[in-house]
Amino acid sequence: MFIKNYLIYYGISCLLLIVSILVHPVFFIFLIFYGAFIIYRLNLMNFISIFIFTTLFFLFVNWPTPINDSIIKGKIVAVDQKSVVLKTSQTKVKVYGDFIGYQIGDVLEMEVEYFNISEPTNDNAFNYKRYLYSQGITNNAMIKRLLSVDSTQSLFKELQK
């Protein structure tokens, strides 16, 4: 009953936290102003419960983290002629190279070399790095050599044929 009446306040707090972490740290200022608003609008007990809820939300959300292993192994979740997206145990990695003949669901192990995609130099230009991060892809890599391929048959692959 306590949370039910103020659910929108909890949601806005978590949304401001997500925007602060993913977009820009300057949004933490809005989170501070929102905390002052909660104290003014509701009371200190509601502020404390919203603060605890938002802190627990921050701790238990699985934020994607970059990796730097030179040898990676993962399942293909997206494929085109120039690249594949591998889902590893920790994150997703976009690997560029010649990947003709590989399908979604194949497990690849490869040696890669990581590279950074530069930020756009113009204001309001498309930011490819942020786009990849929004898809859960934290690393970009170029394939050095393919170590192993485990091609599995699935109902999806059979339906494609």
Side-chain angles (χ1 to χ4, degrees):
M1 181 88 171
F2 184 68
I3 292 179
K4 182 180 174 187
N5 297 332
Y6 303 113
L7 192 59
I8 190 73
Y9 295 110
Y10 289 85
I12 291 172
S13 177
C14 291
L15 183 65
L16 282 173
L17 179 71
I18 290 170
V19 169
S20 300
I21 291 171
L22 296 181
V23 176
H24 199 276
V26 77
F27 286 100
F28 278 113
I29 294 171
F30 292 113
L31 196 59
I32 293 168
F33 284 133
Y34 184 69
F37 169 76
I38 293 296
I39 293 172
Y40 173 74
R41 172 84 178 175
L42 303 175
N43 60 27
L44 187 61
M45 280 304 292
N46 287 334
F47 170 76
I48 292 171
S49 67
I50 290 173
F51 179 77
I52 291 171
F53 180 82
T54 306
T55 304
L56 291 174
F57 174 79
F58 173 74
L59 294 175
F60 289 112
V61 170
N62 187 13
W63 304 103
T65 55
I67 58 174
N68 58 2
D69 301 331
S70 62
I71 297 177
I72 59 172
K73 182 176 184 176
K75 182 186 273 190
I76 297 176
V77 293
V79 64
D80 60 21
Q81 292 180 353
K82 298 178 186 176
S83 66
V84 296
V85 176
L86 288 179
K87 182 170 175 62
T88 65
S89 60
Q90 300 154 340
T91 187
K92 290 182 187 175
V93 179
K94 186 159 190 165
V95 181
Y96 294 91
D98 188 21
F99 291 104
I100 298 174
Y102 297 103
Q103 297 178 345
I104 294 174
D106 292 347
V107 177
L108 302 178
E109 184 176 8
M110 62 182 75
E111 185 178 352
V112 296
E113 181 179 338
Y114 296 102
F115 64 91
N116 289 326
I117 294 177
S118 62
E119 299 278 334
T121 56
N122 297 339
D123 292 338
N124 300 322
F126 178 72
N127 192 331
Y128 187 62
K129 190 175 192 175
R130 284 191 184 163
Y131 167 74
L132 290 177
Y133 192 76
S134 73
Q135 304 295 315
I137 300 170
T138 58
N139 292 85
N140 297 298
M142 183 67 69
I143 185 170
K144 282 186 172 179
R145 65 185 169 124
L146 190 62
L147 301 175
S148 69
V149 178
D150 183 20
S151 183
T152 58
Q153 291 296 334
S154 66
L155 180 62
F156 178 73
K157 288 182 183 178
E158 293 299 320
L159 290 174
Q160 274 187 325
K161 289 179 186 178

